[in-house]
Amino acid sequence: MTPGTRKRRQRQDKVTLSDVAQSAGVSAITVSRALRDPEKVSPHLRDTILRVVEEMGYVPDLAARALASKNSGLVGVISPGLASHVFVAVIRGIEDRVRSSDLRIQYASSDSDREDQLRQLRFFLSQNPAGLVHVGQMPDPAIDELLRRAPCPVVEIMDISRPPSDMVIGIDHRLAAETATRHLIAKGYRRIAMLGNGSDFRARRRLEGYQAVLEEAGLFDPTLVLSVDSHSSVGLGCHLLERLKSEHPDADAAFCQNDDIALGALFECQRRGLSVPQEFGICGFNDLEYAGFAFPAITSVRVPRYDIGYRAADMIIRAAGTGMPPPNMVDLGFQLVERGSTAREG
């Protein structure tokens, strides 16, 4: 071994908890307590320990922690839409709640691949996590069984329609779609289409709600349901509206599966010279920020995405603690935000 190699390896020696304790002049238990339960250590001592931790570059060994305690301190978040701006508010909610704890978050995007979801779940469970937050695509016996057998709290989020394997938080997507469709009927629209992408569980629940209301009113036409199994985009909304008006010139409104599609539909109406909302009404879903700033502003179903994330993380923290256990099902409700895109007169 050359001197240079010896020096390089010495620089890479890992700083241990005992090293930090020795430098700070306290016990290793005190250092551990300061990092995991800072409120149990005096402010002066905590500041001293944290300063030494920063100076020495100490990084906790999560694998060792998993062996020494009941979990690794990681919360796994598995979703098919991590890259979507729809999920950004959910992530922010999760992180805001976890930030004040000693837990850490690890994300995985499973897209719509069932086998990938199973691999991701098995990987997370192999790490002895403190909890799992899961956004599924469709009911699947193998995935459901893994979630039921998970040795940690599991929160399924976004839709509350199915009995949870452990806990669930979200909204009733079918009821939300029923509310939006009834709103369009009340505004005088009769040839109401549904424009969407994909066929995941939540999309199917919204389709069920849309269809049930229109059937009840004697207005349902299955040919007005247009869906493409692809990533959502404004461009897709343009394409679907163009296709709708080409195939059904008498269509006078659209309930869109999300706001991207609604905005694209609005753009296509403007390109065609269709007056919104007088000649064509548009309702979106999720109520993203831009929906309120489009012209005309887009009516949309507001989903409490930040609250879903925050409360999901809180449910895991409470379930893993010794305090009052969380409920196994939380319905956060939704709000139909009426705006100019459906403000039809007369």
Side-chain angles (χ1 to χ4, degrees):
M1 181 186 299
T2 67
T5 302
R6 185 182 301 114
K7 184 177 181 181
R8 187 162 55 250
R9 289 189 177 178
Q10 287 172 349
R11 282 201 306 267
Q12 293 176 349
D13 284 346
K14 186 172 182 179
V15 177
T16 67
L17 190 72
S18 297
D19 295 333
V20 174
Q22 183 177 359
S23 181
V26 297
S27 69
I29 293 176
T30 301
V31 174
S32 178
R33 185 178 296 120
L35 295 176
R36 296 188 59 184
D37 299 297
E39 70 281 357
K40 295 181 180 180
V41 179
S42 70
H44 175 71
L45 184 55
R46 181 174 65 242
D47 291 344
T48 298
I49 292 172
L50 293 179
R51 177 172 44 78
V52 172
V53 166
E54 184 175 355
E55 290 174 352
M56 299 185 70
Y58 171 66
V59 178
D61 188 337
L62 295 180
R65 171 178 171 167
L67 291 173
S69 63
K70 60 183 179 180
N71 63 65
S72 63
L74 289 173
V75 175
V77 179
I78 305 177
S79 169
L82 285 178
S84 167
H85 47 258
V86 171
F87 204 69
V88 169
V90 179
I91 292 174
R92 193 168 68 248
I94 293 172
E95 293 187 345
D96 282 355
R97 179 62 186 94
V98 168
R99 189 172 293 115
S100 61
S101 74
D102 64 342
L103 301 176
R104 294 297 176 264
I105 308 167
Q106 192 171 74
Y107 296 100
S109 181
S110 59
D111 293 322
S112 57
D113 188 305
R114 172 185 180 272
E115 292 304 316
D116 189 45
Q117 286 191 56
L118 285 168
R119 282 194 297 271
Q120 297 287 5
L121 275 172
R122 293 189 184 106
F123 172 72
F124 274 133
L125 293 174
S126 72
Q127 298 183 78
N128 193 21
L132 283 176
V133 176
H134 184 253
V135 186
Q137 286 284 77
M138 291 296 294
D140 183 277
I143 291 175
D144 291 344
E145 182 63 18
L146 272 179
L147 294 175
R148 276 193 297 270
R149 295 172 57 186
C152 64
V154 174
V155 181
E156 295 168 83
I157 66 172
M158 303 313 287
D159 186 86
I160 61 168
S161 302
R162 298 177 62 227
S165 58
D166 185 8
M167 297 176 285
V168 64
I169 184 169
I171 72 167
D172 185 330
H173 283 253
R174 173 171 174 149
L175 181 60
E178 290 176 358
T179 301
T181 308
R182 287 197 176 97
H183 167 71
L184 290 169
I185 292 174
K187 290 298 181 178
Y189 300 106
R190 291 297 179 266
R191 293 286 287 164
I192 304 169
M194 169 166 270
L195 307 182
N197 69 301
S199 57
D200 67 26
F201 180 67
R202 293 171 297 283
R204 289 192 181 183
R205 292 290 290 168
R206 293 196 287 271
L207 175 58
E208 289 171 4
Y210 156 88
Q211 180 175 340
V213 169
L214 289 180
E215 284 181 340
E216 181 182 310
L219 298 173
F220 180 65
D221 180 351
T223 65
L224 291 177
V225 178
L226 303 184
S227 182
V228 177
D229 192 8
S230 69
H231 292 292
S232 179
S233 68
V234 174
L236 179 61
C238 293
H239 165 73
L240 289 173
L241 197 285
E242 179 182 30
R243 178 179 155 194
L244 173 68
K245 294 302 289 184
S246 296
E247 298 175 4
H248 303 279
D250 62 338
D252 61 358
F255 172 41
C256 303
Q257 287 274 18
N258 59 57
D259 290 339
D260 281 355
I261 293 173
L263 184 62
L266 175 61
F267 287 162
E268 180 61 20
C269 283
Q270 292 169 343
R271 190 183 72 81
R272 289 172 167 263
L274 283 174
S275 172
V276 176
Q278 288 302 110
E279 295 179 90
F280 198 88
I282 298 172
C283 180
F285 201 94
N286 286 314
D287 194 33
L288 299 181
E289 182 183 20
Y290 61 73
F293 292 93
F295 185 79
I298 299 172
T299 294
S300 189
V301 176
R302 179 173 295 166
V303 179
R305 293 167 293 121
Y306 175 89
D307 292 341
I308 289 173
Y310 190 96
R311 293 280 297 275
D314 185 69
M315 291 165 77
I316 284 177
I317 291 170
R318 289 171 59 190
T322 57
M324 183 179 295
N328 73 330
M329 194 277 283
V330 178
D331 182 357
L332 289 181
F334 58 87
Q335 178 187 0
L336 179 69
V337 182
E338 299 182 27
R339 299 191 179 100
S341 67
T342 58
R344 199 178 199 182
E345 299 176 4

